[in-house]
Amino acid sequence: MIRLRAMLSTTAVRLSALYLGLFALCAVALVFYVTSISVGMQHERIQAVIGSELRIIGGAYRSNGIAGLVRSIERRARQPGGNLYAIASPTGELIAGNIAAIAPGVLDAEGWTASPFRYERIGDTASDDHQALAQVVFLPNGMRLMVGRDIGEREQARGLVRQALVTALAIMFAGALGIWFFVGRRALKRIDHMSEASKKILAGDLSQRLPVNGSGDEFDRLSLSLNTMLGRIERLNEGLRQVSDNIAHDLKTPLTRLRNRAEAALASDGGPEAQQQALEQMIADSDQLIRTFNALLMISRVEAGSSTAQMSQVDLSGLAADAAELYEPVAEEEGISLTADIAPGLTILGNRELLAQALSNLIDNAIKYAGDGDAPTINIRLVREKGMVRLSVIDNGPGIPADRREDVVKRFVRLDESRSKPGTGLGLSLVQAVAALHGGSLELTDATPDAEINPGLAATMALPGKT
């Protein structure tokens, strides 16, 4: 009973009931309309037949008088069919015709009978029941002539239509009940499965997904949308967990070093010079921590889209050229050859400061890792391809393995597990966030795919360009 009540409360069942009621109402109205039209047409046909018979009989009467009229009535009364003929005396006694008895009062008024009347035909049994319509004519000698037609065919047609209507409504009702049971039970079962999965998700198991049966209906579309949302929430939670772990790992060491240096400075007898040196080292460590937190704040703000209000037309060609000029002396100090291939006149709608920061991060990473190889080189390249502006920083260093490229854009993830090189592991995360803010993406590929050693890295920001 509970499941039946729940099934009857579903939208599918309610819509089915509404459509069934509306269809049944329209069907009844249509049947009554068709029936009334059919009855009206049959009534007109009966009147036409009776009028034609009266004209023929009237001709016999005018030609041969009463005797001719009776002969014509007797002859026509013996013919098969639904026509009725009767001649009655002024007192209403039947003299000739094919009617054995007639309802009282039918022959009392001249003209068309107001409504169908009952009669008995000659040769009928007691169980026979007939109705007819007729026209009564008063003759000059007081006798009455009646010509009519049985309406059994009309009533039979009306009965058939009514029976067909009742049968059709019964079939529709039975079919609707079956559809209600099938659709409602199926919908309720799917909702139960979704509710069970939702309970597990609410309990903390974000790996659960709402069921999808592949039918492509509204339940599948809803489940797919919610599953996509759950997948993103799961990834965000996993990223938050990883960020928390990485923050604890990456910040614990500098904080511990900062505390140890302060403690050592307090316990040292090296004099003011030693204490000043310790304070300078502590300030450097504090600056590194501040840079880390600033990077985190910037990534969060970029991902939240807080900088979208500061969008303007940016000369990306000029920005890339300025970055190349700025970093060329830095690269030379590290023994790296820095070149630039920049297409002129390329502009995009974006935030100049964020784009400059992202490009600086890419060049910093290239300088940091390209110097490990022989004859290290860095190339800054800006081109337009297929409606996109592609800003690349390409080096010939060790590169990034293909199976680690999704990891390196996560916060605090570094390929240098020993942390021997400076950095926070936030550079590529910021670049990816900036690219996404501008409607683009960050692509990491091998600079020289065929190289077995030092394939290099091509880090490219693909951004929608102004046409």
Side-chain angles (χ1 to χ4, degrees), residues 34-53:
V34 172
T35 301
S36 64
I37 293 296
S38 300
V39 170
M41 293 178 62
Q42 289 181 348
H43 188 75
E44 293 177 357
R45 179 171 173 270
I46 288 174
Q47 289 182 334
V49 170
I50 292 175
S52 175
E53 291 294 315

Side-chain angles (χ1 to χ4, degrees), residues 339-457:
T339 59
D341 295 320
I342 301 172
L346 296 183
T347 62
I348 67 168
L349 181 64
N351 185 291
R352 181 179 180 84
E353 289 74 19
L354 292 178
L355 290 170
Q357 182 65 55
L359 180 56
S360 297
N361 287 2
L362 293 179
I363 298 174
D364 281 336
N365 279 347
I367 292 175
K368 188 186 305 179
Y369 293 100
D372 294 340
D374 296 332
T377 61
I378 296 175
N379 178 248
I380 300 175
R381 182 180 300 169
L382 179 64
V383 296
R384 181 192 296 277
E385 291 181 356
K386 299 179 180 179
M388 300 291 288
V389 173
R390 302 176 66 84
L391 177 58
S392 305
V393 177
I394 306 169
D395 64 65
N396 62 347
I400 299 176
D403 58 347
R404 297 297 307 276
R405 288 172 187 166
E406 292 185 2
D407 296 331
V408 295
V409 296
K410 298 177 181 177
R411 301 177 191 181
F412 294 107
V413 174
R414 299 173 62 183
L415 296 182
D416 180 19
E417 301 292 346
S418 64
R419 303 299 199 261
S420 61
K421 294 183 179 295
T424 61
L426 298 172
L428 291 180
S429 298
L430 177 60
V431 175
Q432 184 182 50
V434 171
L437 177 67
H438 289 80
S441 61
L442 173 62
E443 301 173 2
L444 301 176
T445 58
D446 290 333
T448 310
D450 298 333
E452 297 182 359
I453 301 176
N454 290 343
L457 177 68

